[in-house]
């Protein structure tokens, strides 16, 4: 089987990112490379440029990477990393954090390409819960 699109979860909270990773690992089994960048380098609430960059590199297995930030400065930090390290194979996606991650992992696990995985995450915004 060829490499799967990687997913990076960027959050202000290491615990939030780790919890979402545990959830989506149940869906994507071990076929989807997952990495998290949660909190600051010293474990506080916030975001870290270095953790985001390391997570992108960790999740990249050659099929591209979808970066899903939670909100605010995690978006700004992820965008700055991508501006400093431009790549057509790494996409930041404006999607709901939990629903977008689930959709991205399910789609990546099916062997879909980078654009299809990114689109699935974006489309999760329109899925009604009730």
């Amino acid at each position: 089987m060829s490499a799967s699109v990687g997913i990076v979860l960027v959050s202000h909270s290491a615990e939030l990112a780790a919890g979402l990773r545990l959830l989506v690992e149940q869906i994507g089994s071990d076929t989807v490379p997952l990495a998290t960048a949660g909190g600051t380098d010293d474990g506080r609430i916030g975001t870290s440029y270095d953790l985001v960059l390391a997570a992108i590199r960790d999740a990249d297995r050659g099929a591209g990477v979808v970066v899903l930030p939670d909100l605010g400065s995690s978006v700004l930090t992820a965008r700055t990393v991508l501006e400093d390290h431009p790549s057509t194979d790494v996409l930041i996606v404006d999607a709901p954090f939990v629903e977008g991650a689930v959709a991205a992992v399910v789609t990546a696990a099916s062997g879909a390409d980078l654009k299809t995985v990114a689109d699935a995450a974006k489309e999760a915004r329109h899925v009604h819960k009730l």
Side-chain angles (χ1 to χ4, degrees):
M1 182 175 197
S2 63
S4 175
V5 171
I7 311 292
V8 173
L9 306 172
V10 182
S11 176
H12 289 76
S13 165
E15 292 84 358
L16 180 59
L20 182 52
R21 180 180 181 158
L22 286 173
L23 175 69
V24 297
E25 281 177 336
Q26 299 300 310
I27 298 163
S29 67
D30 58 358
T31 62
V32 178
L34 293 166
T36 61
T40 62
D41 295 325
D42 61 358
R44 293 177 293 123
I45 295 291
T47 56
S48 163
Y49 180 103
D50 292 334
L51 291 177
V52 172
L53 181 58
I56 291 169
R57 289 177 174 162
D58 185 46
D60 188 358
R61 298 299 188 322
V65 176
V66 166
V67 178
L68 295 168
D70 60 2
L71 59 117
S73 67
S74 69
V75 176
L76 298 175
T77 302
R79 288 178 80 173
T80 301
V81 169
L82 296 180
E83 287 169 6
D84 291 350
H85 304 273
S87 171
T88 58
D89 292 340
V90 181
L91 301 176
I92 186 170
V93 177
D94 182 8
F97 195 53
V98 174
E99 293 89 338
V102 170
V105 169
V106 167
T107 306
S110 76
D113 66 9
L114 179 61
K115 182 184 181 318
T116 303
V117 173
D119 287 346
K122 290 176 197 174
E123 290 168 12
R125 175 176 314 286
H126 305 291
V127 175
H128 296 281
K129 293 182 183 184
L130 300 176

